């Protein structure tokens, strides 16, 4: 992520978050209850949690972009939102220890952003911090490959490919 515009990273992370949320909704609404409850619980946990993790990252990147742009009040507001989302995930006791460690690290970063941005704003910038309802909503961005993906026959060895 180093060297990439944080605004772009925020929009891409928001798009990923939205896709995970859509996937969970599709599973919940598209399957009979008996089929939904029979799904692997760790897979379902991962789908549910990754939507929140990606949203937390999107808010964190947007906070950093706002700070870089001199919008210190917005930076604080986004950092608080990121902290709240990541706190929810960090306290959920995930089964995947590597994911838990990564979430805890991101939570720590968001916490430091809130502290640093708030301290600097209260001593240097004195920008108004908007209410959560006044903070601009993050808009996702999607990139689409212009050429269709064409799998090579050797990639499908051992798998049955659906007819086009």
């Amino acid at each position: 992520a180093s060297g990439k515009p944080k605004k772009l990273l925020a929009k891409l992370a928001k798009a990923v978050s939205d896709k995970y949320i859509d996937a969970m909704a599709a599973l919940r609404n598209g399957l009979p209850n008996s089929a939904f409850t029979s799904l692997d619980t760790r897979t379902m946990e991962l789908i549910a949690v990754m939507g929140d993790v990606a949203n937390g990252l999107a808010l964190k990147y947007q906070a950093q972009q706002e700070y870089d742009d001199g919008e210190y009040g917005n930076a604080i507001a986004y950092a608080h939102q990121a902290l709240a989302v990541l706190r929810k995930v960090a306290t959920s006791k995930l089964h995947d220890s590597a994911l838990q460690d990564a979430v805890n690290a991101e939570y720590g970063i968001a916490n430091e952003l809130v502290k640093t941005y708030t301290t600097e704003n209260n001593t240097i910038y004195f920008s108004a911090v908007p209410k959560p309802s006044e903070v601009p909503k993050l808009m996702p961005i999607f990139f689409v490959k212009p050429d269709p993906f064409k799998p090579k026959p050797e990639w499908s060895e051992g798998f049955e490919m659906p007819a086009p």
Side-chain angles (χ1 to χ4, degrees), residues 8-85:
L8 175 61
L9 292 173
K11 290 180 176 198
L12 289 170
K14 179 62 176 155
V16 169
S17 172
D18 289 354
K19 289 297 180 189
Y20 273 111
I21 291 166
D22 291 347
M24 181 58 83
L27 287 170
R28 282 185 203 266
N29 299 328
L31 293 175
N33 194 40
S34 60
F36 181 78
T37 56
S38 70
L39 293 172
D40 179 66
T41 56
R42 290 189 182 194
T43 301
M44 299 308 294
E45 173 189 80
L46 184 63
I47 293 171
V49 164
M50 288 308 296
D52 287 338
V53 171
N55 188 40
L57 292 175
L59 292 163
K60 179 193 83 166
Y61 288 132
Q62 189 63 35
Q64 292 170 324
Q65 184 66 55
E66 296 288 334
Y67 184 84
D68 291 348
D69 291 345
E71 298 293 333
Y72 305 110
N74 282 350
I76 293 168
Y78 281 117
H80 272 289
Q81 289 181 10
L83 185 64
V85 170

Side-chain angles (χ1 to χ4, degrees), residues 79-148:
H80 272 289
Q81 289 181 10
L83 185 64
V85 170
L86 293 168
R87 177 185 301 122
K88 179 181 128 184
V89 179
T91 58
S92 66
K93 304 298 181 221
L94 304 173
H95 288 99
D96 185 321
S97 62
L99 179 58
Q100 184 74 56
D101 291 345
V103 169
N104 290 344
E106 290 297 335
Y107 172 76
I109 292 168
N111 194 35
E112 284 303 311
L113 290 179
V114 167
K115 289 179 186 176
T116 301
Y117 293 172
T118 302
T119 299
E120 288 183 7
N121 192 54
N122 290 342
T123 57
I124 302 169
Y125 307 117
F126 304 103
S127 295
V129 178
K131 298 175 187 171
S133 62
E134 298 169 347
V135 177
K137 183 180 176 191
L138 288 180
M139 300 306 294
I141 188 171
F142 299 94
F143 289 105
V144 179
K145 188 176 183 321
D147 300 320

